[in-house]
Amino acid sequence: LVCTATLAWGVNLPAHAVVIKGTQMYDASRGGEVQLGALDLQQMLGRAGRPQFDREGLGVVITTVNRLGEWVATAASASPIESQLRC
């Protein structure tokens, strides 16, 4: 499955592995490419390893060398994402 960043928001599409090819997306209001936000990245990576399907998931982010440190720092400083559905 190949999709846009928009699919990461509001669609329950679990996967074992998520590969993010590039950390920029087009923003029509700015007329060009902008960096993904940390929350966008978390939403996309959050599709990997859903507890009801997998014990763990894999997330891969492909970015440019000059942005690598920024994304490593973003990933290292992110709060753990935990969710639980209670019925």
Side-chain angles (χ1 to χ4, degrees), residues 38 42 70-80:
Q42 285 181 320
E70 175 185 338
W71 286 108
V72 169
T74 298
S77 66
S79 300

Side-chain angles (χ1 to χ4, degrees), residues 13-59:
L13 240 179
H16 176 73
V18 171
V19 178
I20 300 172
K21 184 186 173 287
T23 55
Q24 292 185 317
M25 64 181 197
Y26 183 76
D27 183 343
S29 66
R30 295 185 183 181
E33 300 278 320
V34 296
Q35 285 294 309
L36 286 173
L39 189 55
D40 291 312
L41 186 77
Q42 285 181 320
Q43 285 290 324
M44 287 187 276
L45 293 174
R47 304 289 158 224
R50 292 294 180 85
Q52 65 269 36
F53 302 110
D54 285 314
R55 288 179 34 170
E56 59 185 36
L58 173 67

